Amino acid sequence: MDRSTVTRAIGEIRPLLADRGCRIAPGLRLRTLADVIAHLGATGQTGIIDATEIRVRRPAANRPGRSRFVSGKSRMNAMKALVVTDDRGRMLFCGEVRAGSVADITQARDAGLVDLLADTIHLEILADAGYQGLGA
């Protein structure tokens, strides 16, 4: 099977999985980050947020944006995804995949997390040092 066939198949399946969302209880699916934040706030659960890196091949030489994929933390070519879990470690949300050079806090801001958290009260989200300053 050719790589382009696999890439096309992934591109077709990804939107279908996103539409289904994350099923955490009978009749309850979380499809967006706003749904996840609302669920955590309503149930009083603590959320855990972090960006995970996935190692990828480096783009070929002389291609634009070749250095964008180099992660500053792990010094490897990577893509990052923003992940939100509940306090038991169950994944509730996996955000858009971005280049490895994008900082965790930038990815959270681009996903709209700051605006969502500004409208909530009594919600606790645990995060590592990569998110310092997000509250400001």
Side-chain angles (χ1 to χ4, degrees):
M1 186 179 297
D2 192 43
R3 182 177 178 165
S4 63
T5 304
V6 173
T7 303
R8 188 182 72 243
I10 290 171
E12 292 173 3
I13 290 171
R14 187 173 283 152
L16 297 174
L17 293 174
D19 285 343
R20 290 206 54 169
C22 175
R23 183 176 178 183
I24 58 168
L28 179 61
R29 290 191 185 269
L30 305 177
R31 291 182 169 85
T32 64
L33 185 56
D35 292 344
V36 171
I37 298 301
H39 169 72
L40 290 173
T43 59
Q45 293 182 7
T46 300
I48 303 169
I49 186 169
D50 201 4
T52 184
E53 292 184 346
I54 303 148
R55 190 171 188 170
V56 295
R57 290 185 185 169
R58 186 173 187 178
N62 301 324
R63 291 189 97 179
R66 185 175 186 207
S67 61
R68 285 183 357 146
F69 295 95
V70 178
S71 169
K73 180 169 67 175
S74 61
R75 302 280 187 223
M76 66 179 186
N77 298 306
M79 299 290 287
K80 278 187 179 178
L82 181 70
V83 177
V84 180
T85 66
D86 64 5
D87 53 358
R88 295 161 75 194
R90 294 181 297 181
M91 185 169 67
L92 302 176
F93 177 78
C94 183
E96 179 184 342
V97 178
R98 306 281 303 272
S101 61
V102 175
D104 292 358
I105 193 168
T106 303
Q107 194 164 7
R109 284 185 179 131
D110 290 346
L113 185 63
V114 175
D115 297 331
L116 293 172
L117 292 177
D119 297 334
T120 59
I121 302 171
H122 306 298
L123 176 63
E124 184 176 37
I125 301 274
L126 301 178
D128 62 10
Y131 298 93
Q132 283 183 346
L134 187 63

